[in-house]
Amino acid sequence: MKNYITIYDIKNIEQTIKEAIQLKKNPYQFEKLGNHKTLVMLFFNASLRTRLSTEKAARNLGMDVMVLTINDTWNLEYEDGTVMNLNTAEHIKEAACVISQYADIIAVRAFPSLTDKAKDESEYVLNSFLKYATVPIINMESATAHPLQALSDAITIEELKVTSRPKVVLSWAPHPKALPQAVANSFVSMMKDLDVDFSISHPEGYELNTELTKGVAINYHQEEAIKEADFVYVKNWSSYNTYGKVLDVTANWMLTKEKLGTAKFMHCLPVRRNVVVEDAVLDCENSVVIEQANNRTFAAQIVLKKILNALK
């Protein structure tokens, strides 16, 4: 694996999931693989799970880790030919090349603006590092994708499923702020590649990019959609068509214990209690959000391992 930008950079997803589960049983079995190798993590946006799990994964492989919050330094310029006499102090051309001299792998986290769809979908931050860096790049969540989270989700489902083809539902939930589609996008892409009975449920107006959801069943009635589900993944996202907007819908899409039934509850975290999901769900034995978060380490670790192997 040269880079990990989307889940499609994994040649065999099912095999990779199995490898990650085996790695979880003995996280230090490849602790010399990353000796004298450095992971530089660049955060254009805040992080809790992604930062800690990716750093832990790297250290499990024997890597050194450096972390830089980009917005604590200065704004980078991405456009060619720009006269840099305003608020940008360094061009990505120099920054990416310089960081590449300090790193063997660069991991980047950069959220969308949710105001300019075309610019967000261009993935200009991530793609600029791909263009100008001279080392592999890992996506720690970008404007349109969160492939590390999706891999963690797939590992969790594989570990906990009790039927060979579980019913998995991605359900939209209310949120007071406009949130990206990245987690939902990658989860949809991942589920389409796995042997699961997958569907999406959301209010009208919250359709995701139809290029991603092509072939996936969509149900505008939440309770009907999640009936007899094995896994219910709840996530908010802002409108894609009315880009970045929070539409006027009622709060009755919050997931309750009654709606969940016997299904396993999944969420990428952080989650707003009693807005997205009620306490009774998060605190019940069917909630697997902590296991999901734990699997973030092994999702990152299997990706790092594959890239390190390719660097040999």
Side-chain angles (χ1 to χ4, degrees):
M1 183 189 294
K2 185 177 180 181
N3 301 292
Y4 189 55
I5 305 304
T6 74
I7 68 162
Y8 302 113
D9 289 315
I10 302 174
K11 291 182 180 178
N12 187 324
I13 288 176
E14 291 187 353
Q15 180 60 34
T16 299
I17 292 168
K18 292 176 182 177
E19 290 174 10
I21 292 172
Q22 288 301 311
L23 189 61
K24 184 177 179 180
K25 295 175 181 178
N26 183 5
Y28 307 109
Q29 59 188 294
F30 302 103
E31 61 184 342
K32 297 188 183 302
L33 181 62
N35 280 4
H36 308 300
K37 300 290 185 183
T38 300
L39 171 69
V40 171
M41 297 197 295
L42 305 177
F43 289 92
F44 292 80
N45 298 93
S47 173
L48 189 156
R49 275 152 295 277
T50 299
R51 174 174 174 171
L52 295 178
S53 62
T54 306
E55 182 168 350
K56 181 175 175 62
R59 295 192 186 282
N60 285 352
L61 294 168
M63 298 186 75
D64 294 318
V65 181
M66 294 191 289
V67 179
L68 180 63
T69 302
I70 291 293
N71 293 339
D72 287 345
T73 53
W74 47 74
N75 293 326
L76 293 177
E77 179 61 56
Y78 298 92
E79 299 292 334
D80 286 338
T82 302
V83 178
M84 292 171 55
N85 61 353
L86 295 174
N87 66 334
T88 55
E90 182 163 1
H91 201 282
I92 185 63
K93 290 182 179 180
E94 289 78 53
C97 289
V98 169
I99 295 167
S100 297
Q101 295 179 113
Y102 309 145
D104 297 280
I105 301 172
I106 298 172
V108 180
R109 181 175 177 93
F111 290 174
S113 66
L114 290 178
T115 57
D116 187 332
K117 183 193 286 189
K119 189 173 183 179
D120 287 345
E121 291 190 331
S122 75
E123 293 283 12
Y124 68 96
V125 175
L126 195 63
N127 284 329
S128 293
F129 278 96
L130 279 170
K131 183 176 181 179
Y132 296 114
T134 58
V135 299
I137 303 297
I138 292 176
N139 180 356
M140 295 193 297
E141 187 172 0
S142 64
T144 65
H146 197 348
L148 286 175
Q149 180 65 54
L151 182 54
S152 174
D153 300 335
I155 292 167
T156 305
I157 291 172
E158 178 63 26
E159 284 185 311
L160 299 177
K161 70 181 184 181
V162 295
T163 62
S164 59
R165 192 170 188 269
K167 178 178 178 180
V168 180
V169 180
L170 172 64
S171 176
W172 181 92
H175 198 283
K177 295 173 59 179
L179 297 185
Q181 295 95 33
V183 170
N185 288 345
S186 289
F187 186 72
V188 170
S189 298
M190 179 65 78
M191 292 302 105
K192 288 174 68 174
D193 248 30
L194 299 181
D195 185 19
V196 296
D197 176 8
F198 178 59
S199 63
I200 306 170
S201 183
H202 57 72
E204 292 189 48
Y206 279 100
E207 291 77 10
L208 294 164
N209 185 340
T210 55
E211 289 299 309
L212 286 171
T213 60
K214 190 179 298 182
V216 178
I218 296 174
N219 192 326
Y220 296 118
H221 304 283
Q222 185 188 39
E223 291 186 49
E224 179 183 299
I226 65 180
K227 186 178 180 181
E228 298 181 352
D230 296 293
F231 296 90
V232 177
Y233 196 125
V234 171
K235 182 70 181 80
N236 174 269
W237 58 86
S238 56
S239 176
Y240 178 75
N241 291 327
T242 310
Y243 191 64
K245 301 300 181 184
V246 177
L247 306 181
D248 183 21
V249 297
T250 62
N252 64 1
W253 278 76
M254 180 182 76
L255 188 69
T256 65
K257 187 73 162 56
E258 183 180 2
K259 292 179 188 177
L260 181 67
T262 59
K264 301 290 187 188
F265 170 72
M266 301 179 70
H267 192 283
C268 59
L269 300 181
V271 63
R272 294 192 181 221
R273 285 175 173 260
N274 303 307
V275 176
V276 173
V277 55
E278 69 174 0
D279 285 337
V281 173
L282 278 165
D283 297 332
C284 79
E285 62 182 10
N286 283 5
S287 174
V288 300
V289 297
I290 304 304
E291 290 94 324
Q292 255 181 291
N294 185 44
N295 282 333
R296 290 297 308 276
T297 295
F298 308 104
Q301 193 169 339
I302 197 64
V303 167
L304 286 166
K305 178 178 177 290
K306 288 180 178 293
I307 292 176
L308 287 170
N309 280 332
L311 289 175
K312 285 184 178 179

